[in-house]
Amino acid sequence: MVKKILGLVVLIAIVSSCIPNEKIILFQNKNDNDALKLDTLITPPRSEYYLQPRDILSINFFSNVETAVEPFRQSTADVIATTGSGQGQQGGGQGGAQGGRQSLGQTFVIDNNGFLLINTLEPLKATGLTTKALKDSLESVIRRVKGVKDISVNVSLAGIRYTTTGEIGGGQQLIVGSEANLLEAIANAGGFTINADRQKVQVLRNYEGGVKWHEIDVTQRDLMLTEFWYVKPGDIIYAPPLKLREIGAGDNFLSSTGIFLISLTSN
């Protein structure tokens, strides 16, 4: 009798713990879209990004005038203070010459009030600007206020800060560089657990005036054609559990079954 019960329990465990492939496999062309078929060139759309507080920026100053870039060099104290505050500072004070042109590349963080603080310059409002607009603003200020006519600036995101929670490795994450897609961001956080509902991943994204929740199916190859293919600084990515977990399936069910079997055989 006990063996029959055990066999029935094991059978139920196997059946109940199965998760259909369509809920797990990524990049499925579910709608049979010709534009997304294998070996087809796909160009994901890119949208303008407007800077926010705590964004990490890489800023390079270039000039033919030997001393022109030196006033903007961060002190060692500034670098240590920024790093210690958890703001993602990755270095600073690297200068040099390239073909006779003096260059200085550093990493900065936009403060919580939306200002960019650069040595010898007044605080510059950065939030709400694109990196191109910030570059133009910096060059204009340096030429007008500092009188340095031969100056050029390059501004780009140095890192993408975002947060993951739910059925993904949780916590605040950082990807070095100016661009990363959603799957890279999830993998960087440790990937999905077996219980993750990949068809209902939620992204909380900042917009001017507020935030919006979006629900995304990452098992669909169509994702590559949406604005959510690229993760943006400040995104919060949440993966809810599958419904199977509510009835004790998946990892939880197998664990519970193991405990039940041990309890049953010991009696």
Side-chain angles (χ1 to χ4, degrees):
M1 182 65 178
V2 172
K3 288 184 178 180
K4 289 183 179 180
I5 294 175
L6 288 176
L8 180 61
V9 169
V10 171
L11 179 62
I12 294 173
I14 293 172
V15 173
S16 300
S17 61
C18 289
I19 301 173
N21 281 339
E22 59 267 23
K23 290 182 177 292
I24 298 176
I25 297 174
L26 305 181
F27 296 114
Q28 300 173 65
N29 192 4
K30 294 181 179 179
N31 299 320
D32 200 26
N33 188 336
D34 288 340
L36 296 172
K37 287 188 175 179
L38 291 177
D39 302 318
T40 301
L41 183 64
I42 302 169
T43 306
R46 287 178 169 82
S47 58
E48 287 278 18
Y49 174 69
Y50 297 91
L51 297 170
Q52 307 172 50
R54 302 180 69 237
D55 277 350
I56 309 167
L57 300 176
S58 174
I59 303 180
N60 289 268
F61 302 89
F62 302 92
S63 177
N64 284 318
V65 180
E66 186 173 349
T67 58
V69 298
E70 286 303 316
F72 314 119
R73 184 185 297 277
Q74 289 174 290
S75 69
T76 303
D78 291 336
V79 174
I80 292 173
T82 308
T83 305
S85 64
Q87 296 296 303
Q89 179 70 30
Q90 296 178 9
Q94 295 183 0
Q98 297 178 346
R101 191 168 177 79
Q102 299 297 313
S103 67
L104 176 66
Q106 300 183 105
T107 306
F108 296 85
V109 178
I110 299 174
D111 72 16
N112 289 332
N113 296 314
F115 286 91
L116 182 63
L117 307 179
I118 297 178
N119 192 36
T120 76
L121 295 179
E122 290 294 319
L124 182 67
K125 188 71 173 179
T127 51
L129 300 178
T130 63
T131 53
K132 173 62 167 61
L134 180 57
K135 158 196 161 62
D136 293 341
S137 180
L138 272 170
E139 289 179 348
S140 176
V141 168
I142 292 171
R143 288 166 184 160
R144 186 181 71 252
V145 176
K146 296 297 182 181
V148 180
K149 304 303 180 184
D150 177 36
I151 189 75
S152 60
V153 179
N154 181 63
V155 180
S156 63
L157 285 172
I160 301 172
R161 192 197 312 274
Y162 63 101
T163 301
T164 53
T165 186
E167 299 295 324
I168 310 175
Q172 189 175 87
Q173 315 294 342
L174 177 66
I175 291 181
V176 176
S178 61
E179 186 175 270
N181 64 54
L182 183 60
L183 271 298
E184 288 176 318
I186 291 169
N188 182 66
F192 292 113
T193 70
I194 193 172
N195 292 317
D197 190 340
R198 295 156 176 81
Q199 295 179 323
K200 293 184 179 181
V201 173
Q202 296 175 30
V203 175
L204 179 67
R205 178 162 289 179
N206 294 303
Y207 293 89
E208 186 176 359
V211 297
K212 292 181 183 178
W213 275 110
H214 304 280
E215 189 170 271
I216 300 163
D217 181 355
V218 300
T219 68
Q220 287 267 30
R221 203 174 297 175
D222 293 18
L223 171 64
M224 299 178 70
L225 300 179
T226 73
E227 63 180 296
F228 304 107
W229 176 241
Y230 290 107
V231 69
K232 293 189 176 182
D235 280 356
I236 297 176
I237 304 169
Y238 167 68
L242 287 162
K243 289 291 183 182
L244 287 170
R245 185 175 178 182
E246 295 180 6
I247 60 173
D251 286 344
N252 289 345
F253 185 82
L254 292 176
S255 298
S256 300
T257 302
I259 295 172
F260 173 75
L261 290 175
I262 293 171
S263 174
L264 186 64
T265 55
S266 63
N267 291 330

Short mmCIF file of all heavy atoms in Angstrom, two decimals, residues 7-67:
data_model
loop_
_atom_site.label_atom_id
_atom_site.label_comp_id
_atom_site.label_asym_id
_atom_site.label_seq_id
_atom_site.Cartn_x
_atom_site.Cartn_y
_atom_site.Cartn_z
N GLY A 7 4.39 5.77 -5.28
CA GLY A 7 4.38 5.86 -6.73
C GLY A 7 3.46 6.94 -7.22
O GLY A 7 3.79 7.69 -8.16
N LEU A 8 2.28 7.05 -6.61
CA LEU A 8 1.32 8.08 -6.99
C LEU A 8 1.86 9.47 -6.72
O LEU A 8 1.74 10.39 -7.54
CB LEU A 8 0.01 7.86 -6.22
CG LEU A 8 -1.12 8.87 -6.52
CD1 LEU A 8 -1.50 8.81 -8.00
CD2 LEU A 8 -2.33 8.59 -5.64
N VAL A 9 2.51 9.65 -5.57
CA VAL A 9 3.08 10.94 -5.20
C VAL A 9 4.18 11.35 -6.17
O VAL A 9 4.25 12.49 -6.63
CB VAL A 9 3.62 10.92 -3.75
CG1 VAL A 9 4.44 12.17 -3.47
CG2 VAL A 9 2.47 10.82 -2.76
N VAL A 10 5.05 10.39 -6.51
CA VAL A 10 6.14 10.68 -7.45
C VAL A 10 5.59 11.06 -8.81
O VAL A 10 6.05 11.99 -9.47
CB VAL A 10 7.09 9.47 -7.57
CG1 VAL A 10 8.08 9.69 -8.72
CG2 VAL A 10 7.84 9.27 -6.27
N LEU A 11 4.54 10.35 -9.28
CA LEU A 11 3.92 10.64 -10.56
C LEU A 11 3.33 12.04 -10.57
O LEU A 11 3.51 12.80 -11.52
CB LEU A 11 2.83 9.60 -10.87
CG LEU A 11 2.06 9.80 -12.18
CD1 LEU A 11 3.01 9.70 -13.36
CD2 LEU A 11 0.94 8.77 -12.32
N ILE A 12 2.63 12.39 -9.50
CA ILE A 12 2.05 13.74 -9.40
C ILE A 12 3.15 14.79 -9.39
O ILE A 12 3.04 15.85 -10.01
CB ILE A 12 1.18 13.86 -8.12
CG1 ILE A 12 -0.04 12.95 -8.24
CG2 ILE A 12 0.76 15.30 -7.90
CD1 ILE A 12 -0.87 12.87 -6.97
N ALA A 13 4.25 14.48 -8.70
CA ALA A 13 5.37 15.43 -8.62
C ALA A 13 5.94 15.70 -9.99
O ALA A 13 6.21 16.84 -10.37
CB ALA A 13 6.46 14.88 -7.70
N ILE A 14 6.12 14.63 -10.78
CA ILE A 14 6.72 14.79 -12.11
C ILE A 14 5.81 15.60 -13.02
O ILE A 14 6.23 16.51 -13.71
CB ILE A 14 7.01 13.40 -12.72
CG1 ILE A 14 8.11 12.71 -11.94
CG2 ILE A 14 7.41 13.53 -14.20
CD1 ILE A 14 8.33 11.26 -12.34
N VAL A 15 4.50 15.26 -13.00
CA VAL A 15 3.55 15.95 -13.88
C VAL A 15 3.38 17.40 -13.47
O VAL A 15 3.40 18.32 -14.29
CB VAL A 15 2.19 15.22 -13.87
CG1 VAL A 15 1.14 16.03 -14.63
CG2 VAL A 15 2.33 13.83 -14.47
N SER A 16 3.21 17.64 -12.16
CA SER A 16 2.92 18.99 -11.69
C SER A 16 4.10 19.93 -11.80
O SER A 16 3.94 21.14 -11.91
CB SER A 16 2.47 18.94 -10.22
OG SER A 16 1.31 18.16 -10.09
N SER A 17 5.31 19.38 -11.74
CA SER A 17 6.49 20.25 -11.75
C SER A 17 6.96 20.59 -13.15
O SER A 17 7.91 21.32 -13.33
CB SER A 17 7.64 19.59 -10.97
OG SER A 17 7.99 18.36 -11.57
N CYS A 18 6.31 20.03 -14.18
CA CYS A 18 6.71 20.33 -15.56
C CYS A 18 6.23 21.72 -15.95
O CYS A 18 5.08 22.07 -15.76
CB CYS A 18 6.10 19.29 -16.50
SG CYS A 18 6.86 17.66 -16.35
N ILE A 19 7.14 22.50 -16.52
CA ILE A 19 6.82 23.84 -17.01
C ILE A 19 6.92 23.80 -18.52
O ILE A 19 7.95 23.41 -19.06
CB ILE A 19 7.78 24.89 -16.43
CG1 ILE A 19 7.71 24.88 -14.90
CG2 ILE A 19 7.46 26.28 -16.98
CD1 ILE A 19 8.75 25.76 -14.24
N PRO A 20 5.86 24.17 -19.24
CA PRO A 20 5.89 24.11 -20.71
C PRO A 20 7.04 24.92 -21.29
O PRO A 20 7.38 26.00 -20.78
CB PRO A 20 4.54 24.72 -21.11
CG PRO A 20 3.66 24.55 -19.91
CD PRO A 20 4.57 24.66 -18.73
N ASN A 21 7.65 24.40 -22.36
CA ASN A 21 8.79 25.07 -22.99
C ASN A 21 8.48 26.48 -23.44
O ASN A 21 9.33 27.36 -23.38
CB ASN A 21 9.29 24.25 -24.19
CG ASN A 21 10.15 23.07 -23.76
OD1 ASN A 21 10.70 23.07 -22.67
ND2 ASN A 21 10.25 22.07 -24.61
N GLU A 22 7.24 26.71 -23.91
CA GLU A 22 6.92 28.05 -24.42
C GLU A 22 6.96 29.12 -23.33
O GLU A 22 7.02 30.31 -23.62
CB GLU A 22 5.55 28.07 -25.10
CG GLU A 22 4.37 27.65 -24.24
CD GLU A 22 4.06 26.16 -24.35
OE1 GLU A 22 4.96 25.39 -24.73
OE2 GLU A 22 2.91 25.79 -24.05
N LYS A 23 6.94 28.69 -22.06
CA LYS A 23 7.02 29.64 -20.97
C LYS A 23 8.47 29.93 -20.56
O LYS A 23 8.72 30.82 -19.76
CB LYS A 23 6.25 29.12 -19.75
CG LYS A 23 4.75 29.09 -19.93
CD LYS A 23 4.06 28.62 -18.67
CE LYS A 23 2.55 28.66 -18.80
NZ LYS A 23 2.03 30.04 -18.89
N ILE A 24 9.42 29.17 -21.11
CA ILE A 24 10.81 29.27 -20.70
C ILE A 24 11.74 29.71 -21.82
O ILE A 24 12.62 30.55 -21.62
CB ILE A 24 11.31 27.92 -20.13
CG1 ILE A 24 10.51 27.53 -18.90
CG2 ILE A 24 12.79 27.98 -19.81
CD1 ILE A 24 10.86 26.17 -18.34
N ILE A 25 11.54 29.16 -23.00
CA ILE A 25 12.46 29.42 -24.11
C ILE A 25 12.38 30.87 -24.55
O ILE A 25 11.29 31.41 -24.80
CB ILE A 25 12.16 28.48 -25.30
CG1 ILE A 25 12.38 27.03 -24.88
CG2 ILE A 25 13.04 28.83 -26.50
CD1 ILE A 25 11.97 26.02 -25.92
N LEU A 26 13.54 31.50 -24.67
CA LEU A 26 13.60 32.91 -25.07
C LEU A 26 13.69 33.02 -26.59
O LEU A 26 14.04 32.07 -27.29
CB LEU A 26 14.81 33.59 -24.42
CG LEU A 26 14.91 33.50 -22.90
CD1 LEU A 26 16.13 34.24 -22.40
CD2 LEU A 26 13.65 34.04 -22.23
N PHE A 27 13.36 34.21 -27.10
CA PHE A 27 13.50 34.55 -28.52
C PHE A 27 12.69 33.64 -29.45
O PHE A 27 13.12 33.29 -30.54
CB PHE A 27 14.98 34.51 -28.95
CG PHE A 27 15.82 35.53 -28.26
CD1 PHE A 27 16.83 35.14 -27.39
CD2 PHE A 27 15.63 36.88 -28.48
CE1 PHE A 27 17.61 36.07 -26.73
CE2 PHE A 27 16.41 37.83 -27.83
CZ PHE A 27 17.39 37.43 -26.96
N GLN A 28 11.49 33.29 -29.02
CA GLN A 28 10.62 32.52 -29.90
C GLN A 28 9.92 33.46 -30.89
O GLN A 28 9.42 34.51 -30.52
CB GLN A 28 9.55 31.78 -29.08
CG GLN A 28 10.09 30.81 -28.06
CD GLN A 28 8.99 30.25 -27.19
OE1 GLN A 28 8.11 29.55 -27.65
NE2 GLN A 28 9.04 30.57 -25.89
N ASN A 29 9.89 33.05 -32.15
CA ASN A 29 9.18 33.84 -33.17
C ASN A 29 7.73 33.34 -33.21
O ASN A 29 7.29 32.69 -34.17
CB ASN A 29 9.86 33.69 -34.53
CG ASN A 29 9.36 34.70 -35.55
OD1 ASN A 29 8.55 35.57 -35.23
ND2 ASN A 29 9.80 34.57 -36.78
N LYS A 30 6.99 33.65 -32.16
CA LYS A 30 5.66 33.07 -31.98
C LYS A 30 4.67 33.49 -33.06
O LYS A 30 3.75 32.76 -33.39
CB LYS A 30 5.13 33.46 -30.60
CG LYS A 30 5.92 32.86 -29.45
CD LYS A 30 5.33 33.25 -28.11
CE LYS A 30 6.10 32.64 -26.96
NZ LYS A 30 5.56 33.03 -25.63
N ASN A 31 4.85 34.71 -33.59
CA ASN A 31 3.94 35.21 -34.61
C ASN A 31 4.43 34.94 -36.03
O ASN A 31 3.85 35.45 -36.99
CB ASN A 31 3.72 36.72 -34.42
CG ASN A 31 3.09 37.02 -33.07
OD1 ASN A 31 2.20 36.30 -32.61
ND2 ASN A 31 3.55 38.09 -32.42
N ASP A 32 5.50 34.15 -36.13
CA ASP A 32 6.08 33.81 -37.43
C ASP A 32 6.33 35.06 -38.27
O ASP A 32 5.99 35.12 -39.46
CB ASP A 32 5.17 32.83 -38.18
CG ASP A 32 5.91 32.08 -39.28
OD1 ASP A 32 7.15 31.94 -39.17
OD2 ASP A 32 5.28 31.69 -40.27
N ASN A 33 6.92 36.05 -37.64
CA ASN A 33 7.22 37.33 -38.29
C ASN A 33 8.41 37.16 -39.23
O ASN A 33 9.50 36.79 -38.79
CB ASN A 33 7.51 38.39 -37.22
CG ASN A 33 7.63 39.79 -37.79
OD1 ASN A 33 7.92 39.96 -38.97
ND2 ASN A 33 7.40 40.79 -36.96
N ASP A 34 8.21 37.44 -40.53
CA ASP A 34 9.30 37.28 -41.51
C ASP A 34 10.51 38.14 -41.16
O ASP A 34 11.65 37.76 -41.42
CB ASP A 34 8.81 37.63 -42.92
CG ASP A 34 7.87 36.57 -43.48
OD1 ASP A 34 7.92 35.43 -42.97
OD2 ASP A 34 7.10 36.89 -44.39
N ALA A 35 10.25 39.32 -40.57
CA ALA A 35 11.34 40.24 -40.23
C ALA A 35 12.19 39.72 -39.08
O ALA A 35 13.27 40.26 -38.81
CB ALA A 35 10.77 41.61 -39.88
N LEU A 36 11.71 38.66 -38.42
CA LEU A 36 12.43 38.13 -37.25
C LEU A 36 12.89 36.69 -37.44
O LEU A 36 13.31 36.04 -36.48
CB LEU A 36 11.53 38.23 -36.01
CG LEU A 36 11.14 39.64 -35.56
CD1 LEU A 36 10.10 39.57 -34.45
CD2 LEU A 36 12.36 40.41 -35.09
N LYS A 37 12.83 36.21 -38.66
CA LYS A 37 13.24 34.84 -38.91
C LYS A 37 14.75 34.69 -38.78
O LYS A 37 15.50 35.67 -38.84
CB LYS A 37 12.77 34.40 -40.29
CG LYS A 37 11.25 34.14 -40.34
CD LYS A 37 10.82 33.53 -41.64
CE LYS A 37 9.33 33.17 -41.59
NZ LYS A 37 8.86 32.59 -42.87
N LEU A 38 15.19 33.45 -38.61
CA LEU A 38 16.62 33.17 -38.45
C LEU A 38 17.42 33.72 -39.63
O LEU A 38 16.96 33.68 -40.78
CB LEU A 38 16.86 31.66 -38.32
CG LEU A 38 16.35 31.00 -37.04
CD1 LEU A 38 16.61 29.51 -37.10
CD2 LEU A 38 17.00 31.61 -35.82
N ASP A 39 18.60 34.22 -39.33
CA ASP A 39 19.54 34.76 -40.32
C ASP A 39 19.05 36.03 -41.01
O ASP A 39 19.61 36.46 -42.02
CB ASP A 39 19.88 33.70 -41.40
CG ASP A 39 20.46 32.44 -40.79
OD1 ASP A 39 21.30 32.57 -39.87
OD2 ASP A 39 20.09 31.34 -41.22
N THR A 40 18.00 36.65 -40.45
CA THR A 40 17.51 37.93 -40.97
C THR A 40 18.13 39.06 -40.18
O THR A 40 18.22 39.01 -38.95
CB THR A 40 15.97 38.01 -40.85
OG1 THR A 40 15.38 36.93 -41.58
CG2 THR A 40 15.44 39.34 -41.38
N LEU A 41 18.58 40.10 -40.87
CA LEU A 41 19.18 41.25 -40.20
C LEU A 41 18.10 42.04 -39.48
O LEU A 41 17.13 42.49 -40.08
CB LEU A 41 19.89 42.14 -41.22
CG LEU A 41 20.63 43.36 -40.63
CD1 LEU A 41 21.77 42.91 -39.72
CD2 LEU A 41 21.16 44.25 -41.76
N ILE A 42 18.28 42.22 -38.17
CA ILE A 42 17.30 42.93 -37.34
C ILE A 42 17.96 44.18 -36.78
O ILE A 42 19.08 44.13 -36.26
CB ILE A 42 16.81 42.03 -36.19
CG1 ILE A 42 16.19 40.75 -36.74
CG2 ILE A 42 15.82 42.77 -35.31
CD1 ILE A 42 15.93 39.69 -35.69
N THR A 43 17.27 45.31 -36.89
CA THR A 43 17.79 46.57 -36.36
C THR A 43 16.86 47.07 -35.25
O THR A 43 15.82 47.68 -35.53
CB THR A 43 17.90 47.64 -37.46
OG1 THR A 43 18.68 47.12 -38.55
CG2 THR A 43 18.56 48.91 -36.92
N PRO A 44 17.19 46.78 -34.00
CA PRO A 44 16.34 47.25 -32.89
C PRO A 44 16.27 48.78 -32.87
O PRO A 44 17.27 49.46 -33.15
CB PRO A 44 17.04 46.72 -31.64
CG PRO A 44 17.87 45.57 -32.14
CD PRO A 44 18.31 45.98 -33.51
N PRO A 45 15.12 49.35 -32.56
CA PRO A 45 14.99 50.81 -32.52
C PRO A 45 15.71 51.40 -31.31
O PRO A 45 15.78 50.79 -30.25
CB PRO A 45 13.47 51.02 -32.41
CG PRO A 45 12.98 49.78 -31.71
CD PRO A 45 13.86 48.66 -32.21
N ARG A 46 16.26 52.59 -31.50
CA ARG A 46 16.89 53.33 -30.41
C ARG A 46 16.13 54.62 -30.20
O ARG A 46 15.69 55.25 -31.16
CB ARG A 46 18.36 53.63 -30.72
CG ARG A 46 19.26 52.41 -30.65
CD ARG A 46 20.69 52.76 -31.01
NE ARG A 46 21.62 51.67 -30.69
CZ ARG A 46 21.82 50.63 -31.48
NH1 ARG A 46 21.17 50.52 -32.63
NH2 ARG A 46 22.67 49.68 -31.13
N SER A 47 15.99 55.01 -28.95
CA SER A 47 15.30 56.25 -28.64
C SER A 47 16.23 57.17 -27.87
O SER A 47 17.18 56.71 -27.23
CB SER A 47 14.03 55.98 -27.81
OG SER A 47 14.35 55.29 -26.61
N GLU A 48 15.96 58.46 -27.94
CA GLU A 48 16.77 59.44 -27.22
C GLU A 48 16.65 59.18 -25.71
O GLU A 48 15.56 58.90 -25.20
CB GLU A 48 16.30 60.86 -27.52
CG GLU A 48 16.66 61.34 -28.93
CD GLU A 48 18.08 61.85 -29.01
OE1 GLU A 48 18.89 61.52 -28.11
OE2 GLU A 48 18.39 62.56 -29.98
N TYR A 49 17.77 59.28 -25.03
CA TYR A 49 17.75 59.14 -23.58
C TYR A 49 18.05 60.50 -22.95
O TYR A 49 19.01 61.18 -23.34
CB TYR A 49 18.79 58.11 -23.10
CG TYR A 49 18.87 58.05 -21.59
CD1 TYR A 49 17.82 57.54 -20.84
CD2 TYR A 49 19.99 58.55 -20.91
CE1 TYR A 49 17.87 57.52 -19.46
CE2 TYR A 49 20.05 58.52 -19.52
CZ TYR A 49 18.99 58.00 -18.81
OH TYR A 49 19.04 57.99 -17.44
N TYR A 50 17.22 60.88 -21.99
CA TYR A 50 17.39 62.16 -21.31
C TYR A 50 17.94 61.90 -19.90
O TYR A 50 17.40 61.08 -19.16
CB TYR A 50 16.05 62.91 -21.26
CG TYR A 50 15.56 63.26 -22.64
CD1 TYR A 50 14.72 62.40 -23.34
CD2 TYR A 50 15.98 64.44 -23.27
CE1 TYR A 50 14.29 62.70 -24.63
CE2 TYR A 50 15.56 64.74 -24.56
CZ TYR A 50 14.72 63.88 -25.23
OH TYR A 50 14.31 64.17 -26.51
N LEU A 51 19.02 62.55 -19.61
CA LEU A 51 19.78 62.28 -18.39
C LEU A 51 18.95 62.49 -17.13
O LEU A 51 18.08 63.36 -17.06
CB LEU A 51 21.03 63.15 -18.36
CG LEU A 51 22.03 62.89 -19.49
CD1 LEU A 51 23.11 63.97 -19.52
CD2 LEU A 51 22.67 61.51 -19.33
N GLN A 52 19.29 61.68 -16.09
CA GLN A 52 18.60 61.72 -14.81
C GLN A 52 19.63 61.85 -13.68
O GLN A 52 20.82 61.60 -13.88
CB GLN A 52 17.83 60.42 -14.58
CG GLN A 52 16.88 60.02 -15.68
CD GLN A 52 16.32 58.64 -15.44
OE1 GLN A 52 15.83 58.32 -14.35
NE2 GLN A 52 16.39 57.78 -16.44
N PRO A 53 19.17 62.23 -12.48
CA PRO A 53 20.08 62.24 -11.33
C PRO A 53 20.71 60.86 -11.13
O PRO A 53 20.08 59.83 -11.38
CB PRO A 53 19.16 62.59 -10.15
CG PRO A 53 18.07 63.39 -10.77
CD PRO A 53 17.84 62.76 -12.12
N ARG A 54 21.98 60.85 -10.74
CA ARG A 54 22.76 59.66 -10.44
C ARG A 54 23.24 58.92 -11.68
O ARG A 54 23.84 57.85 -11.58
CB ARG A 54 22.00 58.71 -9.49
CG ARG A 54 21.61 59.34 -8.18
CD ARG A 54 20.87 58.42 -7.25
NE ARG A 54 21.76 57.38 -6.76
CZ ARG A 54 21.52 56.08 -6.90
NH1 ARG A 54 20.45 55.65 -7.53
NH2 ARG A 54 22.37 55.18 -6.43
N ASP A 55 23.00 59.47 -12.86
CA ASP A 55 23.58 58.86 -14.06
C ASP A 55 25.10 59.01 -14.02
O ASP A 55 25.64 60.00 -13.54
CB ASP A 55 23.04 59.53 -15.32
CG ASP A 55 21.69 58.98 -15.75
OD1 ASP A 55 21.26 57.96 -15.17
OD2 ASP A 55 21.06 59.57 -16.65
N ILE A 56 25.77 58.00 -14.55
CA ILE A 56 27.24 57.98 -14.58
C ILE A 56 27.69 58.38 -15.97
O ILE A 56 27.29 57.76 -16.96
CB ILE A 56 27.79 56.58 -14.23
CG1 ILE A 56 27.15 56.06 -12.94
CG2 ILE A 56 29.30 56.60 -14.12
CD1 ILE A 56 27.38 54.59 -12.70
N LEU A 57 28.52 59.41 -16.05
CA LEU A 57 28.95 59.94 -17.34
C LEU A 57 30.45 59.83 -17.53
O LEU A 57 31.23 60.04 -16.58
CB LEU A 57 28.55 61.42 -17.46
CG LEU A 57 27.05 61.75 -17.37
CD1 LEU A 57 26.86 63.26 -17.41
CD2 LEU A 57 26.29 61.07 -18.48
N SER A 58 30.86 59.52 -18.73
CA SER A 58 32.26 59.62 -19.13
C SER A 58 32.40 60.89 -19.95
O SER A 58 31.73 61.06 -20.96
CB SER A 58 32.65 58.40 -19.97
OG SER A 58 33.96 58.54 -20.46
N ILE A 59 33.27 61.80 -19.48
CA ILE A 59 33.45 63.09 -20.17
C ILE A 59 34.92 63.26 -20.52
O ILE A 59 35.81 63.14 -19.68
CB ILE A 59 32.97 64.26 -19.29
CG1 ILE A 59 31.50 64.05 -18.90
CG2 ILE A 59 33.16 65.58 -20.00
CD1 ILE A 59 30.92 65.16 -18.03
N ASN A 60 35.17 63.50 -21.80
CA ASN A 60 36.52 63.72 -22.30
C ASN A 60 36.64 65.15 -22.81
O ASN A 60 35.78 65.63 -23.56
CB ASN A 60 36.84 62.75 -23.43
CG ASN A 60 37.00 61.33 -22.93
OD1 ASN A 60 38.09 60.89 -22.61
ND2 ASN A 60 35.90 60.59 -22.87
N PHE A 61 37.71 65.82 -22.39
CA PHE A 61 38.01 67.18 -22.85
C PHE A 61 39.22 67.11 -23.78
O PHE A 61 40.22 66.47 -23.47
CB PHE A 61 38.34 68.09 -21.66
CG PHE A 61 37.24 68.17 -20.63
CD1 PHE A 61 37.17 67.26 -19.58
CD2 PHE A 61 36.27 69.16 -20.71
CE1 PHE A 61 36.17 67.34 -18.63
CE2 PHE A 61 35.25 69.25 -19.77
CZ PHE A 61 35.20 68.33 -18.72
N PHE A 62 39.14 67.79 -24.91
CA PHE A 62 40.23 67.81 -25.89
C PHE A 62 40.58 69.24 -26.26
O PHE A 62 39.69 70.09 -26.41
CB PHE A 62 39.85 67.05 -27.17
CG PHE A 62 39.46 65.62 -26.95
CD1 PHE A 62 38.14 65.27 -26.73
CD2 PHE A 62 40.42 64.61 -26.96
CE1 PHE A 62 37.77 63.95 -26.54
CE2 PHE A 62 40.05 63.28 -26.77
CZ PHE A 62 38.73 62.96 -26.56
N SER A 63 41.88 69.50 -26.41
CA SER A 63 42.32 70.83 -26.84
C SER A 63 43.75 70.77 -27.39
O SER A 63 44.54 69.92 -26.97
CB SER A 63 42.26 71.83 -25.69
OG SER A 63 42.73 73.09 -26.10
N ASN A 64 44.06 71.67 -28.32
CA ASN A 64 45.43 71.81 -28.82
C ASN A 64 46.27 72.67 -27.89
O ASN A 64 47.49 72.73 -28.01
CB ASN A 64 45.43 72.42 -30.23
CG ASN A 64 45.01 71.39 -31.28
OD1 ASN A 64 45.42 70.23 -31.23
ND2 ASN A 64 44.17 71.82 -32.21
N VAL A 65 45.58 73.37 -26.98
CA VAL A 65 46.27 74.21 -26.00
C VAL A 65 46.68 73.33 -24.82
O VAL A 65 45.84 72.69 -24.18
CB VAL A 65 45.36 75.36 -25.51
CG1 VAL A 65 46.10 76.22 -24.49
CG2 VAL A 65 44.88 76.19 -26.69
N GLU A 66 47.97 73.31 -24.56
CA GLU A 66 48.52 72.34 -23.61
C GLU A 66 47.86 72.38 -22.24
O GLU A 66 47.60 71.35 -21.62
CB GLU A 66 50.03 72.55 -23.47
CG GLU A 66 50.71 71.49 -22.61
CD GLU A 66 52.22 71.63 -22.62
OE1 GLU A 66 52.73 72.41 -23.45
OE2 GLU A 66 52.87 70.97 -21.81
N THR A 67 47.58 73.58 -21.74
CA THR A 67 47.05 73.69 -20.37
C THR A 67 45.53 73.85 -20.33
O THR A 67 44.97 74.02 -19.24
CB THR A 67 47.70 74.90 -19.67
OG1 THR A 67 47.41 76.09 -20.44
CG2 THR A 67 49.20 74.71 -19.54
#
